PDB file of all heavy atoms in Angstrom:
ATOM      1  N   ARG E  48     105.966  94.126  93.661  1.00  0.00           N
ATOM      2  CA  ARG E  48     106.876  92.968  93.575  1.00  0.00           C
ATOM      3  C   ARG E  48     108.229  93.171  94.167  1.00  0.00           C
ATOM      4  O   ARG E  48     109.022  92.253  94.407  1.00  0.00           O
ATOM      5  CB  ARG E  48     107.049  92.622  92.073  1.00  0.00           C
ATOM      6  CG  ARG E  48     107.580  91.192  91.793  1.00  0.00           C
ATOM      7  CD  ARG E  48     108.481  91.166  90.575  1.00  0.00           C
ATOM      8  NE  ARG E  48     109.754  91.877  90.836  1.00  0.00           N
ATOM      9  CZ  ARG E  48     110.884  91.346  91.022  1.00  0.00           C
ATOM     10  NH1 ARG E  48     111.011  89.999  90.950  1.00  0.00           N
ATOM     11  NH2 ARG E  48     111.934  92.038  91.326  1.00  0.00           N
ATOM     12  N   THR E  57     113.309  88.615 100.274  1.00  0.00           N
ATOM     13  CA  THR E  57     114.786  88.806 100.225  1.00  0.00           C
ATOM     14  C   THR E  57     115.138  90.268 100.583  1.00  0.00           C
ATOM     15  O   THR E  57     114.408  91.155 100.220  1.00  0.00           O
ATOM     16  CB  THR E  57     115.312  88.417  98.830  1.00  0.00           C
ATOM     17  OG1 THR E  57     116.713  88.843  98.780  1.00  0.00           O
ATOM     18  CG2 THR E  57     114.592  89.149  97.698  1.00  0.00           C
ATOM     19  N   ARG E 109     123.642  74.177  93.009  1.00  0.00           N
ATOM     20  CA  ARG E 109     122.688  74.271  94.082  1.00  0.00           C
ATOM     21  C   ARG E 109     121.522  73.323  93.795  1.00  0.00           C
ATOM     22  O   ARG E 109     120.825  73.449  92.788  1.00  0.00           O
ATOM     23  CB  ARG E 109     122.053  75.731  94.183  1.00  0.00           C
ATOM     24  CG  ARG E 109     123.062  76.739  94.774  1.00  0.00           C
ATOM     25  CD  ARG E 109     122.533  78.098  94.548  1.00  0.00           C
ATOM     26  NE  ARG E 109     122.391  78.495  93.138  1.00  0.00           N
ATOM     27  CZ  ARG E 109     121.829  79.603  92.712  1.00  0.00           C
ATOM     28  NH1 ARG E 109     121.299  80.498  93.559  1.00  0.00           N
ATOM     29  NH2 ARG E 109     121.752  79.848  91.420  1.00  0.00           N
ATOM     30  N   GLY E 111     117.979  71.897  93.449  1.00  0.00           N
ATOM     31  CA  GLY E 111     116.686  72.567  93.286  1.00  0.00           C
ATOM     32  C   GLY E 111     116.782  73.861  92.509  1.00  0.00           C
ATOM     33  O   GLY E 111     115.722  74.467  92.244  1.00  0.00           O
ATOM     34  N   HIS E 112     117.967  74.318  92.211  1.00  0.00           N
ATOM     35  CA  HIS E 112     118.105  75.535  91.364  1.00  0.00           C
ATOM     36  C   HIS E 112     118.466  75.149  89.936  1.00  0.00           C
ATOM     37  O   HIS E 112     118.512  73.958  89.609  1.00  0.00           O
ATOM     38  CB  HIS E 112     119.072  76.542  91.995  1.00  0.00           C
ATOM     39  CG  HIS E 112     118.628  77.943  91.879  1.00  0.00           C
ATOM     40  ND1 HIS E 112     118.557  78.590  90.670  1.00  0.00           N
ATOM     41  CD2 HIS E 112     118.245  78.821  92.823  1.00  0.00           C
ATOM     42  CE1 HIS E 112     118.127  79.824  90.875  1.00  0.00           C
ATOM     43  NE2 HIS E 112     117.919  79.982  92.169  1.00  0.00           N
ATOM     44  N   ALA E 113     118.640  76.128  89.090  1.00  0.00           N
ATOM     45  CA  ALA E 113     118.865  75.822  87.679  1.00  0.00           C
ATOM     46  C   ALA E 113     120.361  75.711  87.274  1.00  0.00           C
ATOM     47  O   ALA E 113     120.667  75.672  86.099  1.00  0.00           O
ATOM     48  CB  ALA E 113     118.174  76.860  86.795  1.00  0.00           C
ATOM     49  N   SER E 132     118.309  82.762  85.142  1.00  0.00           N
ATOM     50  CA  SER E 132     117.417  81.874  85.889  1.00  0.00           C
ATOM     51  C   SER E 132     116.874  82.599  87.154  1.00  0.00           C
ATOM     52  O   SER E 132     115.921  82.048  87.786  1.00  0.00           O
ATOM     53  CB  SER E 132     118.071  80.555  86.208  1.00  0.00           C
ATOM     54  OG  SER E 132     118.941  80.700  87.322  1.00  0.00           O
ATOM     55  N   SER E 133     117.454  83.655  87.540  1.00  0.00           N
ATOM     56  CA  SER E 133     116.982  84.368  88.736  1.00  0.00           C
ATOM     57  C   SER E 133     115.647  84.978  88.472  1.00  0.00           C
ATOM     58  O   SER E 133     115.344  85.473  87.406  1.00  0.00           O
ATOM     59  CB  SER E 133     117.988  85.492  89.049  1.00  0.00           C
ATOM     60  OG  SER E 133     117.430  86.430  89.938  1.00  0.00           O
ATOM     61  N   ALA E 134     114.812  85.010  89.532  1.00  0.00           N
ATOM     62  CA  ALA E 134     113.486  85.608  89.459  1.00  0.00           C
ATOM     63  C   ALA E 134     113.549  87.142  89.305  1.00  0.00           C
ATOM     64  O   ALA E 134     112.549  87.788  89.221  1.00  0.00           O
ATOM     65  CB  ALA E 134     112.641  85.252  90.629  1.00  0.00           C
ATOM     66  N   THR E 137     111.627  88.449  86.559  1.00  0.00           N
ATOM     67  CA  THR E 137     110.110  88.602  86.646  1.00  0.00           C
ATOM     68  C   THR E 137     109.714  90.041  86.822  1.00  0.00           C
ATOM     69  O   THR E 137     108.555  90.388  86.569  1.00  0.00           O
ATOM     70  CB  THR E 137     109.527  87.718  87.724  1.00  0.00           C
ATOM     71  OG1 THR E 137     110.058  88.094  89.007  1.00  0.00           O
ATOM     72  CG2 THR E 137     109.782  86.246  87.481  1.00  0.00           C
ATOM     73  N   ILE E 242     106.705  81.036  85.228  1.00  0.00           N
ATOM     74  CA  ILE E 242     107.210  81.754  86.403  1.00  0.00           C
ATOM     75  C   ILE E 242     108.115  80.857  87.233  1.00  0.00           C
ATOM     76  O   ILE E 242     107.798  79.681  87.427  1.00  0.00           O
ATOM     77  CB  ILE E 242     106.006  82.258  87.276  1.00  0.00           C
ATOM     78  CG1 ILE E 242     105.094  83.157  86.490  1.00  0.00           C
ATOM     79  CG2 ILE E 242     106.531  82.982  88.532  1.00  0.00           C
ATOM     80  CD1 ILE E 242     103.770  83.504  87.231  1.00  0.00           C
ATOM     81  N   ASN E 243     109.238  81.397  87.659  1.00  0.00           N
ATOM     82  CA  ASN E 243     110.217  80.589  88.409  1.00  0.00           C
ATOM     83  C   ASN E 243     109.562  79.880  89.587  1.00  0.00           C
ATOM     84  O   ASN E 243     108.738  80.481  90.295  1.00  0.00           O
ATOM     85  CB  ASN E 243     111.312  81.527  88.965  1.00  0.00           C
ATOM     86  CG  ASN E 243     111.827  82.473  87.914  1.00  0.00           C
ATOM     87  OD1 ASN E 243     111.098  83.020  87.180  1.00  0.00           O
ATOM     88  ND2 ASN E 243     113.142  82.625  87.919  1.00  0.00           N
ATOM     89  N   ALA E 244     109.944  78.648  89.790  1.00  0.00           N
ATOM     90  CA  ALA E 244     109.555  77.857  90.953  1.00  0.00           C
ATOM     91  C   ALA E 244     108.148  77.321  90.889  1.00  0.00           C
ATOM     92  O   ALA E 244     107.675  76.663  91.807  1.00  0.00           O
ATOM     93  CB  ALA E 244     109.752  78.644  92.266  1.00  0.00           C
ATOM     94  N   VAL E 245     107.386  77.587  89.785  1.00  0.00           N
ATOM     95  CA  VAL E 245     106.047  77.044  89.667  1.00  0.00           C
ATOM     96  C   VAL E 245     106.113  75.609  89.243  1.00  0.00           C
ATOM     97  O   VAL E 245     106.782  75.259  88.250  1.00  0.00           O
ATOM     98  CB  VAL E 245     105.208  77.894  88.674  1.00  0.00           C
ATOM     99  CG1 VAL E 245     103.849  77.241  88.415  1.00  0.00           C
ATOM    100  CG2 VAL E 245     104.999  79.269  89.218  1.00  0.00           C
ATOM    101  N   LYS E 246     105.455  74.729  89.955  1.00  0.00           N
ATOM    102  CA  LYS E 246     105.461  73.305  89.652  1.00  0.00           C
ATOM    103  C   LYS E 246     104.122  72.703  89.270  1.00  0.00           C
ATOM    104  O   LYS E 246     104.050  71.527  88.932  1.00  0.00           O
ATOM    105  CB  LYS E 246     106.003  72.506  90.841  1.00  0.00           C
ATOM    106  CG  LYS E 246     107.451  72.844  91.227  1.00  0.00           C
ATOM    107  CD  LYS E 246     108.428  72.780  90.054  1.00  0.00           C
ATOM    108  CE  LYS E 246     108.851  71.389  89.715  1.00  0.00           C
ATOM    109  NZ  LYS E 246     109.908  71.403  88.569  1.00  0.00           N
ATOM    110  N   LYS E 302     107.078  75.970  94.536  1.00  0.00           N
ATOM    111  CA  LYS E 302     107.905  75.166  95.418  1.00  0.00           C
ATOM    112  C   LYS E 302     108.611  75.984  96.443  1.00  0.00           C
ATOM    113  O   LYS E 302     108.737  77.207  96.311  1.00  0.00           O
ATOM    114  CB  LYS E 302     108.823  74.316  94.591  1.00  0.00           C
ATOM    115  CG  LYS E 302     110.046  75.122  94.051  1.00  0.00           C
ATOM    116  CD  LYS E 302     110.900  74.265  93.067  1.00  0.00           C
ATOM    117  CE  LYS E 302     112.192  74.922  92.759  1.00  0.00           C
ATOM    118  NZ  LYS E 302     112.975  74.215  91.733  1.00  0.00           N
ATOM    119  N   THR E 304     111.615  77.769  98.288  1.00  0.00           N
ATOM    120  CA  THR E 304     112.919  78.293  97.807  1.00  0.00           C
ATOM    121  C   THR E 304     114.028  77.234  97.995  1.00  0.00           C
ATOM    122  O   THR E 304     114.146  76.671  99.075  1.00  0.00           O
ATOM    123  CB  THR E 304     113.302  79.537  98.681  1.00  0.00           C
ATOM    124  OG1 THR E 304     112.176  80.222  98.985  1.00  0.00           O
ATOM    125  CG2 THR E 304     114.311  80.394  97.959  1.00  0.00           C
ATOM    126  N   SER E 305     114.787  76.999  96.951  1.00  0.00           N
ATOM    127  CA  SER E 305     115.830  75.961  97.049  1.00  0.00           C
ATOM    128  C   SER E 305     117.017  76.432  97.864  1.00  0.00           C
ATOM    129  O   SER E 305     117.760  75.645  98.436  1.00  0.00           O
ATOM    130  CB  SER E 305     116.240  75.463  95.667  1.00  0.00           C
ATOM    131  OG  SER E 305     116.679  76.543  94.928  1.00  0.00           O
ATOM    132  N   SER E 306     117.212  77.736  97.889  1.00  0.00           N
ATOM    133  CA  SER E 306     118.410  78.298  98.643  1.00  0.00           C
ATOM    134  C   SER E 306     118.080  78.350 100.102  1.00  0.00           C
ATOM    135  O   SER E 306     117.320  79.243 100.527  1.00  0.00           O
ATOM    136  CB  SER E 306     118.753  79.719  98.120  1.00  0.00           C
ATOM    137  OG  SER E 306     118.951  79.638  96.721  1.00  0.00           O
ATOM    138  N   ARG E 328     121.066  86.488 100.012  1.00  0.00           N
ATOM    139  CA  ARG E 328     119.729  86.930 100.423  1.00  0.00           C
ATOM    140  C   ARG E 328     118.676  86.207  99.599  1.00  0.00           C
ATOM    141  O   ARG E 328     118.691  86.236  98.369  1.00  0.00           O
ATOM    142  CB  ARG E 328     119.703  88.434 100.177  1.00  0.00           C
ATOM    143  CG  ARG E 328     120.741  89.184 100.972  1.00  0.00           C
ATOM    144  CD  ARG E 328     121.100  90.514 100.407  1.00  0.00           C
ATOM    145  NE  ARG E 328     121.735  90.408  99.123  1.00  0.00           N
ATOM    146  CZ  ARG E 328     121.957  91.456  98.312  1.00  0.00           C
ATOM    147  NH1 ARG E 328     121.590  92.647  98.675  1.00  0.00           N
ATOM    148  NH2 ARG E 328     122.506  91.301  97.141  1.00  0.00           N
ATOM    149  N   HIS E 329     117.734  85.567 100.283  1.00  0.00           N
ATOM    150  CA  HIS E 329     116.726  84.814  99.619  1.00  0.00           C
ATOM    151  C   HIS E 329     115.391  85.000 100.202  1.00  0.00           C
ATOM    152  O   HIS E 329     115.244  85.293 101.366  1.00  0.00           O
ATOM    153  CB  HIS E 329     117.127  83.332  99.600  1.00  0.00           C
ATOM    154  CG  HIS E 329     118.446  83.030  98.928  1.00  0.00           C
ATOM    155  ND1 HIS E 329     118.531  82.981  97.579  1.00  0.00           N
ATOM    156  CD2 HIS E 329     119.686  82.877  99.431  1.00  0.00           C
ATOM    157  CE1 HIS E 329     119.805  82.786  97.243  1.00  0.00           C
ATOM    158  NE2 HIS E 329     120.500  82.683  98.391  1.00  0.00           N
ATOM    159  N   ASP E 330     114.357  84.748  99.345  1.00  0.00           N
ATOM    160  CA  ASP E 330     112.981  84.749  99.823  1.00  0.00           C
ATOM    161  C   ASP E 330     112.669  83.457 100.607  1.00  0.00           C
ATOM    162  O   ASP E 330     112.831  82.399  99.961  1.00  0.00           O
ATOM    163  CB  ASP E 330     112.058  84.874  98.641  1.00  0.00           C
ATOM    164  CG  ASP E 330     112.112  86.204  97.954  1.00  0.00           C
ATOM    165  OD1 ASP E 330     111.465  87.125  98.432  1.00  0.00           O
ATOM    166  OD2 ASP E 330     112.780  86.329  96.923  1.00  0.00           O
ATOM    167  N   VAL E 333     108.921  82.047  98.146  1.00  0.00           N
ATOM    168  CA  VAL E 333     108.906  82.822  96.891  1.00  0.00           C
ATOM    169  C   VAL E 333     107.480  83.012  96.367  1.00  0.00           C
ATOM    170  O   VAL E 333     107.252  83.914  95.526  1.00  0.00           O
ATOM    171  CB  VAL E 333     109.810  82.149  95.821  1.00  0.00           C
ATOM    172  CG1 VAL E 333     111.227  82.121  96.243  1.00  0.00           C
ATOM    173  CG2 VAL E 333     109.308  80.784  95.404  1.00  0.00           C
ATOM    174  N   ARG E 336     106.170  86.929  96.496  1.00  0.00           N
ATOM    175  CA  ARG E 336     106.442  87.888  95.409  1.00  0.00           C
ATOM    176  C   ARG E 336     105.977  87.335  94.065  1.00  0.00           C
ATOM    177  O   ARG E 336     106.014  88.063  93.050  1.00  0.00           O
ATOM    178  CB  ARG E 336     107.878  88.291  95.382  1.00  0.00           C
ATOM    179  CG  ARG E 336     108.239  89.168  96.627  1.00  0.00           C
ATOM    180  CD  ARG E 336     109.480  89.935  96.457  1.00  0.00           C
ATOM    181  NE  ARG E 336     110.633  89.123  96.225  1.00  0.00           N
ATOM    182  CZ  ARG E 336     111.442  89.266  95.221  1.00  0.00           C
ATOM    183  NH1 ARG E 336     111.315  90.238  94.352  1.00  0.00           N
ATOM    184  NH2 ARG E 336     112.477  88.473  95.067  1.00  0.00           N
ATOM    185  N   ALA E 337     105.550  86.115  93.999  1.00  0.00           N
ATOM    186  CA  ALA E 337     105.013  85.550  92.738  1.00  0.00           C
ATOM    187  C   ALA E 337     103.633  86.130  92.474  1.00  0.00           C
ATOM    188  O   ALA E 337     103.106  86.057  91.338  1.00  0.00           O
ATOM    189  CB  ALA E 337     104.974  84.020  92.803  1.00  0.00           C
ATOM    190  N   VAL E 340     103.555  88.857  89.953  1.00  0.00           N
ATOM    191  CA  VAL E 340     104.055  88.310  88.701  1.00  0.00           C
ATOM    192  C   VAL E 340     102.913  87.528  87.991  1.00  0.00           C
ATOM    193  O   VAL E 340     102.783  87.580  86.786  1.00  0.00           O
ATOM    194  CB  VAL E 340     105.301  87.347  88.925  1.00  0.00           C
ATOM    195  CG1 VAL E 340     105.839  86.865  87.605  1.00  0.00           C
ATOM    196  CG2 VAL E 340     106.360  88.045  89.744  1.00  0.00           C
TER     197      VAL E 340
HETATM  198  C1  FMN N 401     109.414  86.029  93.023  1.00  0.00           C
HETATM  199  C2  FMN N 401     110.359  84.942  93.138  1.00  0.00           C
HETATM  200  C3  FMN N 401     111.521  85.090  93.876  1.00  0.00           C
HETATM  201  C4  FMN N 401     112.415  84.038  94.005  1.00  0.00           C
HETATM  202  N1  FMN N 401     113.496  84.186  94.810  1.00  0.00           N
HETATM  203  C5  FMN N 401     114.346  83.158  95.013  1.00  0.00           C
HETATM  204  C6  FMN N 401     115.431  83.232  95.937  1.00  0.00           C
HETATM  205  O1  FMN N 401     115.547  84.292  96.662  1.00  0.00           O
HETATM  206  N2  FMN N 401     116.260  82.198  96.068  1.00  0.00           N
HETATM  207  C7  FMN N 401     116.117  81.041  95.297  1.00  0.00           C
HETATM  208  O2  FMN N 401     116.880  80.099  95.424  1.00  0.00           O
HETATM  209  N3  FMN N 401     115.115  80.901  94.401  1.00  0.00           N
HETATM  210  C8  FMN N 401     114.255  81.972  94.260  1.00  0.00           C
HETATM  211  N4  FMN N 401     113.184  81.816  93.324  1.00  0.00           N
HETATM  212  C9  FMN N 401     113.053  80.583  92.574  1.00  0.00           C
HETATM  213  C10 FMN N 401     114.118  80.342  91.517  1.00  0.00           C
HETATM  214  O3  FMN N 401     114.204  81.444  90.600  1.00  0.00           O
HETATM  215  C11 FMN N 401     113.851  79.038  90.749  1.00  0.00           C
HETATM  216  O4  FMN N 401     113.588  78.026  91.680  1.00  0.00           O
HETATM  217  C12 FMN N 401     115.020  78.685  89.876  1.00  0.00           C
HETATM  218  O5  FMN N 401     115.136  79.631  88.804  1.00  0.00           O
HETATM  219  C13 FMN N 401     114.839  77.274  89.243  1.00  0.00           C
HETATM  220  O6  FMN N 401     113.746  77.231  88.446  1.00  0.00           O
HETATM  221  P1  FMN N 401     112.496  76.271  88.684  1.00  0.00           P
HETATM  222  O7  FMN N 401     112.270  76.281  90.178  1.00  0.00           O
HETATM  223  O8  FMN N 401     111.361  76.930  88.014  1.00  0.00           O
HETATM  224  O9  FMN N 401     112.842  74.925  88.188  1.00  0.00           O
HETATM  225  C14 FMN N 401     112.283  82.827  93.224  1.00  0.00           C
HETATM  226  C15 FMN N 401     111.116  82.706  92.459  1.00  0.00           C
HETATM  227  C16 FMN N 401     110.136  83.737  92.432  1.00  0.00           C
HETATM  228  C17 FMN N 401     108.937  83.568  91.550  1.00  0.00           C
END
Side-chain angles (χ1 to χ4, degrees):
R48 196 215 70 105
T57 171
R109 289 170 295 173
H112 219 292
S132 76
S133 162
T137 60
I242 300 172
N243 312 43
V245 173
K246 297 308 281 184
K302 74 188 190 184
T304 324
S305 56
S306 304
R328 300 158 296 171
H329 298 283
D330 289 278
V333 297
R336 291 200 301 127
V340 184

